Amino acid sequence: EPEVTQTPSHQVTQMGQEVILRCVPISNHLYFYWYRQILGQKVEFLVSFYNNEISEKSEIFDDQFSVERPDGSNFTLKIRSTKLEDSAMYFCASSGWGATNYGYTFGSGTRLTVV
Amino acid sequence: QKEVEQDPGPLSVPEGAIVSLNCTYSNSAFQYFMWYRQYSRKGPELLMYTYSSGNKEDGRFTAQVDKSSKYISLFIRDSQPSDSATYLCAMTLNQGGKLIFGQGTELSVKP
């Protein structure tokens, strides 16, 4: 079964450093997303990406965050200057809406720890 | 009022029991409803997907959507210890739109 792949699985970074989280969405999906989940809290939407541009973003997704699809397969989330409160699980997701391909598939996540 | 409300539990049931999990929501424009299962520190795994109102069955799982009451349910028949996980409801306005999640209900099925 197709899956969304995320790397790394765990990243520790110092406050103020830049981090890039990487994702390979399902190949024939057209919509891509980043979500985050702070420990013990609900999964929160960050940003959606369609047709090579941001289609929607939440108030969490401020100027410190950016997304990119540098080639035909990768989808990245960059946090420019990490804060302690950025510590969370970050999930990449993609969605497809064909006859046999629908719904949102999530990756296993990257656990980001900011120290 | 929260957009999507879900009792966080924990919910503990004996093996073989029928489990009922529920969510309520406030935005009547939601059209697509999903249930995910999440194990600790893992990504959400899609269990059931429903468009608009009605029932959908897949093996031991049944999803129900009642748009008039803004209420969705997931039933698990013959529950197994391997069903122990957190169950998340999620919904969206349109295909490709952002998912809004509930808090998640922690379920424990005891042998």
Side-chain angles (χ1 to χ4, degrees):
Chain A
E1 190 162 325
E3 58 182 29
V4 173
T5 305
Q6 287 187 246
T7 55
S9 58
H10 187 197
Q11 174 129 19
V12 181
T13 189
Q14 290 204 326
M15 193 168 53
Q17 294 297 303
E18 174 183 288
V19 295
I20 297 176
L21 309 183
R22 303 180 191 280
C23 169
V24 179
I26 292 173
S27 60
N28 59 355
H29 281 183
L30 299 179
Y31 298 85
F32 314 114
Y33 314 83
W34 286 99
Y35 290 79
R36 79 171 186 190
Q37 187 176 32
I38 294 170
L39 190 63
Q41 297 187 24
K42 61 168 64 177
V43 177
E44 299 175 288
F45 168 78
L46 291 178
V47 65
S48 57
F49 194 85
Y50 172 73
N51 200 26
N52 284 319
E53 61 182 20
I54 290 174
S55 50
E56 189 172 2
K57 60 183 180 179
S58 72
E59 58 195 27
I60 302 168
F61 194 88
D62 61 22
D63 292 344
Q64 294 298 310
F65 292 88
S66 62
V67 289
E68 200 174 45
R69 189 157 162 80
D71 53 42
S73 59
N74 291 285
F75 181 51
T76 62
L77 174 69
K78 182 192 289 186
I79 309 175
R80 262 181 272 281
S81 178
T82 49
K83 307 182 185 71
L84 293 176
E85 55 264 36
D86 293 328
S87 295
M89 284 289 286
Y90 287 81
F91 296 110
C92 175
S94 65
S95 71
W97 302 94
T100 58
N101 180 12
Y102 59 85
Y104 299 71
T105 303
F106 283 76
S108 295
T110 293
R111 181 154 60 103
L112 177 65
T113 303
V114 182
V115 297
Chain B
Q1 185 182 13
K2 291 181 185 175
E3 269 197 293
V4 180
E5 300 213 42
Q6 184 177 7
D7 186 340
L11 179 63
S12 182
V13 301
E15 183 176 354
I18 297 175
V19 176
S20 172
L21 303 167
N22 312 292
C23 288
T24 59
Y25 60 94
S26 57
N27 189 346
S28 57
F30 284 133
Q31 294 194 81
Y32 298 86
F33 304 90
M34 277 148 269
W35 284 95
Y36 285 86
R37 177 172 60 196
Q38 186 179 32
Y39 295 109
S40 182
R41 295 185 180 269
K42 298 292 185 186
E45 173 195 1
L46 181 65
L47 285 176
M48 300 289 285
Y49 160 89
T50 311
Y51 168 65
S52 194
S53 282
N55 294 358
K56 189 170 185 178
E57 189 172 318
D58 184 3
R60 296 185 295 113
F61 298 91
T62 300
Q64 289 185 349
V65 174
D66 181 349
K67 290 194 73 179
S68 62
S69 301
K70 292 185 236 171
Y71 187 87
I72 69 171
S73 302
L74 177 71
F75 298 95
I76 307 174
R77 288 182 297 282
D78 188 25
S79 55
Q80 303 295 310
S82 57
D83 294 327
S84 298
T86 297
Y87 289 80
L88 312 172
C89 64
M91 49 200 76
T92 183
L93 300 176
N94 46 36
Q95 289 182 359
K98 66 182 180 185
L99 282 179
I100 306 297
F101 280 86
Q103 178 72 27
T105 299
E106 185 183 346
L107 171 68
S108 177
V109 181
K110 304 292 187 187

